[in-house]
Amino acid sequence: MEKTAVQRLAAVLRTMVLIVFVLNLFCLLFVPGMAVILLDRNTMADPEWRKALAWALHERGLLWVGVVCLGGFRSLFEHAPVGVLSLFFWVCGTCTALILWQAKKILDTILAGNPFQLKNAQALRRAAVCCWLISGAALVRLLWWLWCDRGIAPLFTYNALFIPAFLMGGLLFQVMSALFRQAAELKEDQDLTI
């Protein structure tokens, strides 16, 4: 059976989703070390840790950089800003991975030629919850940042943009979930009447 244009597009999107999913999981290894680098260029980071990071980057390659970045876990407990930033990126990264996995599941049903299923509605609902978790994490981080800085500068960052963007993304996924659920119920009723 020849694939439709939608199925061919779904196959390409599924491949792209899987690549981004794997890269997302790989990048989660780098969170603690990158948080140290982002938050402090001179005072917070341990000089020995910085030497280890430079050695791994120049001598061993990217995977060793991830291992050394995991060494930044110690900084999570020593410095609150590093811990907050790392926790925020882990929540966002994990939720993003879950959203990508739900997208893969939906694309699998499109490739099978049967997209109107209740499991797609459930996958979209899970994606909505993940969007709302990202929005909530961004709100908590923004409030913490406002409290620490005692100014309005954090309101003009990407973090402040995450709140309404992912809140609306979650609402969109929720609406799509309801549409898929209704379509699945109509399809089931139609299948029973034939």
Side-chain angles (χ1 to χ4, degrees), residues 37-54:
I37 291 169
L38 285 173
L39 286 175
D40 183 69
R41 308 253 185 238
N42 300 316
T43 58
M44 262 196 291
D46 180 10
E48 294 301 316
W49 184 83
R50 283 186 178 274
K51 286 180 191 172
L53 184 63

Side-chain angles (χ1 to χ4, degrees), residues 1-191:
M1 175 167 70
E2 188 175 325
K3 291 185 176 182
T4 65
V6 171
Q7 287 175 319
R8 287 192 299 269
L9 180 61
V12 171
L13 284 174
R14 184 181 183 279
T15 303
M16 291 170 62
V17 163
L18 284 174
I19 290 168
V20 173
F21 176 76
V22 169
L23 289 173
N24 184 356
L25 293 179
F26 182 69
C27 288
L28 287 176
L29 289 174
F30 296 92
V31 166
M34 297 316 289
V36 170
I37 291 169
L38 285 173
L39 286 175
D40 183 69
R41 308 253 185 238
N42 300 316
T43 58
M44 262 196 291
D46 180 10
E48 294 301 316
W49 184 83
R50 283 186 178 274
K51 286 180 191 172
L53 184 63
W55 170 82
L57 187 59
H58 295 294
E59 300 292 328
R60 295 294 181 173
L62 198 56
L63 188 58
W64 276 92
V65 172
V67 171
V68 172
C69 282
L70 284 174
F73 275 111
R74 184 183 70 218
S75 298
L76 294 178
F77 304 106
E78 293 174 0
H79 307 289
V82 174
V84 170
L85 187 61
S86 294
L87 183 62
F88 171 70
F89 284 142
W90 274 329
V91 168
C92 291
T94 303
C95 287
T96 303
L98 291 172
I99 291 169
L100 289 167
W101 191 252
Q102 300 311 313
K104 180 219 165 277
K105 290 164 78 173
I106 292 168
L107 290 168
D108 286 343
T109 63
I110 292 171
L111 287 171
N114 190 14
F116 299 113
Q117 300 178 18
L118 285 177
K119 67 181 185 178
N120 282 349
Q122 294 167 346
L124 286 166
R125 192 173 32 238
R126 284 186 211 108
V129 169
C130 289
C131 281
W132 292 330
L133 285 173
I134 292 171
S135 182
L139 178 63
V140 168
R141 181 169 179 241
L142 180 68
L143 292 174
W144 184 81
W145 200 356
L146 285 168
W147 180 75
C148 287
D149 279 4
R150 309 258 192 249
I152 63 167
L155 293 174
F156 303 105
T157 63
Y158 72 91
N159 192 69
L161 184 63
F162 273 19
I163 299 166
F166 280 95
L167 183 68
M168 295 206 30
L171 292 173
L172 180 63
F173 279 133
Q174 190 66 27
V175 168
M176 289 173 48
S177 171
L179 289 173
F180 267 81
R181 185 176 56 250
Q182 188 175 14
E185 289 169 358
L186 287 172
K187 184 179 181 301
E188 186 178 313
D189 287 343
Q190 183 184 16
D191 290 344

